[in-house]
Structures are given as C-alpha cells and as structure tokens.
Amino acid sequence: MIQLLALLALPPALAQDSGGTPATTTPSAGAEPAPASSGTPEQQAVDKINLAVSLLNTQTADSARKALTMLDEASRLDPEQAWAWYNKGVAHQILSEEARARQAWLRTTDIDPALGDAWLQMGLLSLQSGEHDRALTSFRAGLRSDDDNMALRVAQASVLRELDRLPEAEEAAKEGLRINANYLDLYNVLGVVYIEMDKLPLAAFILDKAV
C-alpha cells in the first residue's frame, strides 16, 4: 500500500477557533493552556477542545485519557460539537481502541457530514483491517460533501489502484488534479497507476512533476 503509508500514521488532532471552524494552526504539544472561557457553553466547549488538542499532540496514552475527559466535557456543553467527537476518535486511536475511534468518527459525520477528515480516518481504519471496499465507501462518502479534501482524493485513487481498478484510479487522480494541480501526492499516485498500466513514458512524465 505504497501511496497510503503517510496517511496510515496517527491522525492529527484538530483545534478550533471560537467561530466554530478548524483553527489554522493547532496548539503545540506542551503549550501553556489557555484560560477557561467565561462565555457561552459553546465557547467553553471550544476552549476545552483546544486544550485537549494540546494533550493529544503529545500522542501518549496518559495525555489521551486526560484529553478524553476534556472532550466529554465539551460534548456535554455542546452536544452538536463535531470537533469534540473527531478528537475523541484521535484519542481512542492513540489508545489503540479502534472500535471506539470508529464510533467517534461516525458520530462526527452524523453531526457534520462535511467533515471530511472523519470519513478519511474511518476509511483508513478499514484499510488497516484489509477492508478495501469498505474503505472506498468511506472515502467516497467524504468526497460527496468535502470534494476539495485532497487527502480523501489521494486515498480514493490509491485504494482503487490497490483493487486493480486502474482506469478508475487514473480518473480519480486526474479529477483531483483538476481541483488542485499542485498536489504532489496525486501525481505520485497517478504515476504509479501509469506504471502498472504499462504506460511508462507517461508515468515518467507525471512522476517528474512530483519531484
């Protein structure tokens, strides 16, 4: 599974700004915790999520357990807070609790189907157990509502290649490149697809773009 090695690493914890969208940067591990918010329950939930992300970035079991406590509090304050559930999935995966991680990411997509990273992580869990078709279903579900998520597009094209559905893999990679012509991982996938299709000059041309 050459093209998916990077994606199979532990998923990143995602922070959130007070407006309800993912923050552009996540708190670094060991960062000084921000003071608790005295605002609305929704604002307090966001603060707890961001503190939990600081813990999750250390990727230790003890920090993951502490983060889960904070994320449970965030969910209590704001039951429809999708990022709390997404990061619960991250915590459970750090703890090697894959079934609970999947449940958390499934709950994430129930709240916000457009949160493509949750679909991505569910698909990657399926890949780890060799369930390629189930993984592909998750990736495609994510792309229906988050069609510019390039990690999902790489994963989709890569699984199609693994399933030896090379024309579909080619089209999936090209479709992604029509959205973002500078996404190097898609060039890598497409180049490997062309090698396996025995289109070596085209593969060399595409892979040269990825350098």
Side-chain angles (χ1 to χ4, degrees):
M1 213 171 290
I2 298 171
Q3 302 301 325
L4 289 173
L5 289 178
L7 291 176
L8 288 171
L10 283 173
L14 297 179
Q16 188 173 23
D17 64 23
S18 58
T21 57
T24 54
T25 57
T26 56
S28 59
E32 186 69 23
S37 171
S38 58
T40 66
E42 291 81 5
Q43 290 171 328
Q44 292 178 51
V46 168
D47 287 343
K48 289 183 181 299
I49 292 168
N50 290 341
L51 289 173
V53 167
S54 296
L55 292 167
L56 291 172
N57 283 339
T58 69
Q59 296 195 354
T60 66
D62 184 58
S63 293
R65 294 186 189 96
K66 292 177 181 177
L68 277 171
T69 298
M70 291 186 178
L71 294 166
D72 285 340
E73 292 173 0
S75 292
R76 179 181 56 78
L77 288 162
D78 184 359
E80 297 302 303
Q81 173 49 262
W83 289 101
W85 284 98
Y86 175 85
N87 285 300
K88 287 183 192 183
V90 176
H92 285 304
Q93 185 143 8
I94 290 172
L95 295 168
S96 299
E97 297 171 348
E98 284 79 10
R100 290 186 175 184
R102 182 182 294 279
Q103 289 172 355
W105 288 323
L106 186 59
R107 176 60 179 145
T108 303
T109 60
D110 287 341
I111 297 171
D112 184 2
L115 209 164
D117 286 343
W119 292 108
L120 175 67
Q121 298 307 330
M122 283 193 288
L124 295 177
L125 279 180
S126 296
L127 280 182
Q128 289 178 13
S129 57
E131 299 174 279
H132 287 66
D133 288 324
R134 187 180 185 187
L136 184 59
T137 298
S138 291
F139 299 147
R140 285 178 165 169
L143 286 169
R144 281 196 291 271
S145 50
D146 189 9
D147 65 353
D148 61 352
N149 187 311
M150 302 312 289
L152 276 171
R153 292 198 172 275
V154 170
Q156 175 186 234
S158 298
V159 171
L160 288 166
R161 183 185 70 79
E162 290 288 329
L163 291 169
D164 202 30
R165 293 160 59 174
L166 298 180
E168 291 177 74
E170 176 189 13
E171 181 53 36
K174 289 166 69 175
E175 184 179 0
L177 288 169
R178 285 193 286 271
I179 294 172
N180 184 346
N182 298 313
Y183 204 78
L184 297 184
D185 286 348
L186 278 172
Y187 284 106
N188 284 324
V189 175
L190 185 57
V192 173
V193 168
Y194 283 140
I195 289 172
E196 295 182 359
M197 296 174 80
D198 203 26
K199 298 180 178 181
L200 299 184
L202 192 52
F205 174 77
I206 292 296
L207 290 173
D208 185 61
K209 287 182 171 290
V211 175

